[in-house]
Amino acid sequence: SPFRAKLTPPFEPGTVLVVSGRVWSFETKKPLAGATLDLWQVDNQTKDYSTGANGDFKNRARLFTDENGFYEFETVHPVPYSPGANFWRSPHIHFIATAAKHKRLVSEMFFKGDQKQDIDPLFHPSLVLAVEKKAAYGSGYETARFDIVVEAEK
């Protein structure tokens, strides 16, 4: 995925969502500068994931944390989808967090109050972000905070 702080193309339909947080080391309890986040989510219209084939990286991005371990990205609030018969996924964003001398973390983030959490077999309540609704310049958007903690390599 390309390095950028916006997963979706400009003017993508949906509610704008800005997620921010810090990446921390479990052992040192300090933020990790230069950690990499690889992020992706399903397309809200097609309910498919971009594979990156032919240079199409829609709804995918990578970014680095700053010197204080801080990150921020913009997307649109994801939607529920059904990848198979009798199998539903609640809205979520996938991520991989990597940092020097730390184990790679592959996980997801979910959003409080979203549909299908009660029937999503991969949903976990510890990964839920509270969403705050805001407005600017006459448009509504959402914000959420999500700190990520990674374990040092042994």
Side-chain angles (χ1 to χ4, degrees):
S1 299
F3 282 96
R4 58 186 178 196
K6 184 169 172 51
L7 275 65
T8 55
F11 311 110
E12 187 72 7
T15 302
V16 172
L17 171 65
V18 178
V19 178
S20 61
R22 292 170 91 181
V23 177
W24 297 84
S25 171
F26 177 77
E27 283 72 20
T28 66
K29 312 297 189 253
K30 293 182 179 178
L32 294 169
T36 303
L37 291 181
D38 190 359
L39 305 148
W40 68 99
Q41 72 184 67
V42 73
D43 184 283
N44 284 8
Q45 279 75 49
T46 67
K47 312 297 191 282
D48 291 324
Y49 287 98
S50 167
T51 62
N54 302 320
D56 172 25
F57 290 98
K58 186 175 183 184
N59 304 321
R60 301 182 73 93
R62 284 188 297 167
L63 52 91
F64 290 116
T65 59
D66 72 9
E67 63 276 4
N68 298 308
F70 181 80
Y71 73 88
E72 181 177 88
F73 66 88
E74 180 186 316
T75 187
V76 294
H77 195 111
V79 295
Y81 67 98
S82 179
N86 299 316
F87 181 39
W88 276 93
R89 295 301 322 271
S90 60
H92 62 280
I93 298 173
H94 297 270
F95 70 90
I96 300 173
T98 56
K101 300 181 183 176
H102 287 77
K103 293 180 182 178
R104 182 173 95 147
L105 174 65
V106 180
S107 192
E108 298 170 327
M109 52 184 80
F110 297 90
F111 307 93
K112 185 175 183 178
D114 276 350
Q115 299 174 331
K116 309 291 185 193
Q117 291 176 348
D118 57 333
I119 60 172
D120 182 343
L122 303 176
F123 171 78
H124 198 282
S126 68
L127 301 173
V128 172
L129 290 69
V131 175
E132 186 176 343
K133 295 185 183 306
K134 297 185 175 185
Y137 307 107
S139 295
Y141 68 100
E142 299 173 333
T143 62
R145 180 160 176 90
F146 190 68
D147 284 357
I148 298 168
V149 180
V150 293
E151 184 182 2
E153 293 176 341
K154 302 286 184 209

